[in-house]
Amino acid sequence: MTSRTTTTRALARFALVAAAAVAAASLWAGSRPEQGLLLDAQTWQEEVTTASTGPWPADGWYRLEPRERGVDVRAVQPVEAGAVPANALFFRLPGTALKTGLRASYRHLEVLAQPRLGRDHELSLGTSRFSIRVEETPVGIEYAIGYGGQTYTYVLAPVGASTSVVDVADLDGDNRPDFLVEVEDNTTYLLLSTKAKPGMNLPTAELPAHGC
C-alpha cells in the first residue's frame, strides 16, 4: 500500500455518495480539497514504520489515541520505536496541524452512539455549543453539524447503513468540535472543523476497512 493507493481507495469508496461529492466540490469552484491519510495501528506498524510497501511521508503525522476522558494527540514519526496502542489512529494531511496533548471529549458519547434519525441534538463541548442532526436522504446518511451560526454537512454512508459517533473533541485547537464517525464497524471518518466550509463537505480523512 502507498499513500497514493490509500487516497485513491478512499475516493473510490466515497463514490457510493457521488451526488454529495459533486455538491461539495462545487463549493470550491472546481478545486477539490485534498483528503488526508488515516491509518490504524496495524497498518502503521506493518507498512509505515517498516516501509514494507514503499516510501511513506516521514513527517506531519499525528497519533490519535482515544482514552476515557479524551483523545491523546501526539506528533509522531515513522522512525520512532516503542509500543503502539491497539486503538490508535494515525493522521496526516499536508498543511494541517493538530493540538497536541489530551483533548477533552464530549462527556455523553452514549447519546451519539446510535444517533436517532431526524432528531436535533443540542450539545456542548467545554464552552462551545454545537448541534448534530443525522438524516437518511436519497443520496445516503447525512450528518448536519452546526456551530458558530453555520451548518456543515457530510454524507458518510449509503442509504440504510448504521453510523456511530465514536468521539467528539477539539483536535485542531480552534475551540470547535471535531468528530470521529464509524460506519457499521467498518469505515471511520475524521471530520475536522478547520477543514470544513458551510454547506456540503467531504470528510477530512477516511480509514477504510481492511481488505477494501
Side-chain angles (χ1 to χ4, degrees):
M1 180 191 301
T2 65
S3 58
R4 181 177 180 181
T5 301
T6 302
T7 303
T8 301
R9 184 174 62 183
L11 293 176
R13 288 179 57 83
F14 204 72
L16 288 171
V17 288
V22 170
S26 67
L27 292 176
W28 289 274
S31 178
R32 187 187 184 98
E34 182 179 4
Q35 284 186 293
L37 296 173
L38 190 63
L39 310 176
D40 59 15
Q42 179 181 344
T43 302
W44 177 260
Q45 290 181 297
E46 294 181 356
E47 300 186 22
V48 181
T49 60
T50 63
S52 62
T53 54
W56 288 79
D59 56 12
W61 290 98
Y62 291 90
R63 190 187 79 184
L64 312 178
E65 181 192 352
R67 296 187 178 181
E68 183 178 354
R69 296 182 179 273
V71 179
D72 184 51
V73 180
R74 299 187 184 186
V76 295
Q77 293 184 324
V79 295
E80 295 177 7
V84 175
N87 65 338
L89 298 174
F90 294 83
F91 166 71
R92 184 183 189 275
L93 178 60
T96 301
L98 300 185
K99 191 77 171 179
T100 57
L102 185 64
R103 311 300 296 165
S105 293
Y106 173 64
R107 294 182 180 180
H108 306 290
L109 286 172
E110 67 277 3
V111 175
L112 302 175
Q114 290 184 320
R116 187 178 303 174
L117 296 178
R119 177 179 177 180
D120 290 311
H121 297 272
E122 300 290 340
L123 311 169
S124 61
L125 179 65
T127 59
S128 300
R129 298 193 61 80
F130 68 96
S131 65
I132 182 169
R133 182 183 180 92
V134 182
E135 292 193 280
E136 187 170 78
T137 72
V139 296
I141 304 301
E142 180 180 284
Y143 272 62
I145 300 169
Y147 47 78
Q150 301 287 350
T151 300
Y152 306 82
T153 306
Y154 305 81
V155 177
L156 299 180
V159 173
S162 62
T163 65
S164 176
V165 178
V166 296
D167 225 314
V168 182
D170 176 17
L171 302 176
D172 48 23
D174 65 348
N175 295 317
R176 293 178 174 179
D178 305 304
F179 296 80
L180 284 168
V181 180
E182 195 172 78
V183 178
E184 296 189 340
D185 299 322
N186 194 4
T187 300
T188 301
Y189 292 105
L190 173 63
L191 315 178
L192 290 181
S193 57
T194 51
K195 295 301 177 182
K197 292 187 177 183
M200 189 67 70
N201 289 269
L202 297 177
T204 308
E206 174 194 9
L207 170 64
H210 280 290
C212 295

